[in-house]
Amino acid sequence: EAGVVQSPRYKIIEKKQPVAFWCNPISGHNTLYWYLQNLGQGPELLIRYENEEAVDDSQLPKDRFSAERLKGVDSTLKIQPAELGDSAVYLCASRSASSPGELFFGEGSRLTVL
Amino acid sequence: EDKVVQSPLSLVVHEGDTVTLNCSYEVTNFRSLLWYKQEKKAPTFLFMLTSSGIEKKSGRLSSILDKKELFSILNITATQTGDSAVYLCAVKGTYKYIFGTGTRLKVLA
């Protein structure tokens, strides 16, 4: 069974440029999370989806960040325009409703904003 | 405010040593506590704990939860260089997972 797939693994952009990250969760996992992880910190939730519905986006900076999960499967996280402080690892995770505990993580997308 | 605090923040030991990592929490509507190992890639699942006093074991790793005192420990015996990583503790509330900052473990040969 394939794990959570994220792309790109690495992205370097200049400030004020847009960037997008893609995540394909494990097949059948209806809950999808986007986390931000700064160096030396634990993951912090940006947004949680139940199927195609964003049920918790309270921590998403909506002036520059947006996310979608149109068909309730894969998801895209976008930043426009990027700022220097957005440099971090963006982790995607998924969970099955039938296995309510464990989160499965992708390898993350490391963003560097110059 | 929900929070998860891990200690120590970092630890350097020699191969063969035993280490104990700590995780304390204050999380509304506690459901479970999870431990993850993070090397330079995705966090990988180690344990999920839901009941107090029941030890979970996997090889040289073990973990236990105390729901009265609101903490968990992760023990690693006979450490190896391959155990070098960041160990993350996460607590699941009703819907959210709250992560600690992690403990960075370095095992020297």
Side-chain angles (χ1 to χ4, degrees):
Chain A
E1 179 184 85
V4 177
V5 179
Q6 290 189 245
S7 67
R9 290 290 314 281
Y10 304 93
K11 188 76 175 177
I12 301 174
I13 61 172
E14 294 194 345
K15 63 181 181 181
K16 300 186 182 179
Q17 294 299 304
V19 64
F21 305 113
W22 178 79
C23 172
N24 194 22
I26 292 172
S27 177
H29 283 196
N30 58 318
T31 307
L32 183 147
Y33 302 77
W34 282 103
Y35 285 92
L36 177 153
Q37 187 174 25
N38 286 304
L39 190 65
Q41 301 293 318
E44 299 173 24
L45 180 68
L46 289 172
I47 189 167
R48 174 173 66 95
Y49 282 93
E50 295 288 346
N51 300 304
E52 66 276 8
E53 183 181 359
V55 294
D56 185 355
D57 62 358
S58 57
Q59 303 303 311
L60 190 72
K62 298 182 186 62
D63 56 335
R64 297 184 301 106
F65 286 65
S66 64
E68 60 183 18
R69 194 185 184 199
L70 293 176
K71 297 182 180 178
V73 181
D74 57 339
S75 175
T76 302
L77 177 71
K78 297 178 181 177
I79 308 174
Q80 182 171 9
E83 296 179 352
L84 295 176
D86 296 331
S87 296
V89 175
Y90 292 84
L91 290 166
C92 179
S94 69
R95 175 175 65 81
S96 166
S98 63
S99 177
E102 182 182 350
L103 275 182
F104 294 82
F105 284 90
E107 296 204 345
S109 294
R110 180 178 295 278
L111 173 66
T112 301
V113 182
L114 303 176
Chain B
E1 182 181 335
D2 294 337
K3 63 181 179 180
V4 175
V5 178
Q6 292 187 244
S7 64
L9 292 181
S10 64
L11 194 54
V12 180
V13 300
H14 290 90
E15 273 192 318
D17 288 349
T18 294
V19 298
T20 298
L21 310 183
N22 303 292
C23 175
S24 64
Y25 63 91
E26 294 178 28
V27 174
T28 308
N29 295 324
F30 173 92
R31 293 288 192 268
S32 59
L33 185 145
L34 302 94
W35 286 96
Y36 285 84
K37 178 182 182 181
Q38 186 175 28
E39 297 166 274
K40 292 184 179 179
K41 48 187 178 179
T44 53
F45 174 77
L46 295 174
F47 298 110
M48 184 174 74
L49 303 152
T50 56
S51 301
S52 275
I54 300 175
E55 185 182 52
K56 293 273 183 100
K57 276 183 76 74
S58 177
R60 297 176 293 102
L61 277 67
S62 64
S63 183
I64 197 161
L65 173 67
D66 185 329
K67 289 170 72 173
K68 181 180 178 184
E69 299 299 328
L70 307 183
F71 78 92
S72 173
I73 60 172
L74 174 68
N75 280 319
I76 309 175
T77 59
T79 52
Q80 302 171 357
T81 55
D83 295 327
S84 296
V86 173
Y87 290 83
L88 292 169
C89 173
V91 175
K92 183 177 186 294
T94 306
Y95 301 110
K96 288 184 177 180
Y97 293 78
I98 310 298
F99 284 83
T101 55
T103 292
R104 182 174 296 278
L105 174 65
K106 186 168 179 63
V107 182
L108 302 175

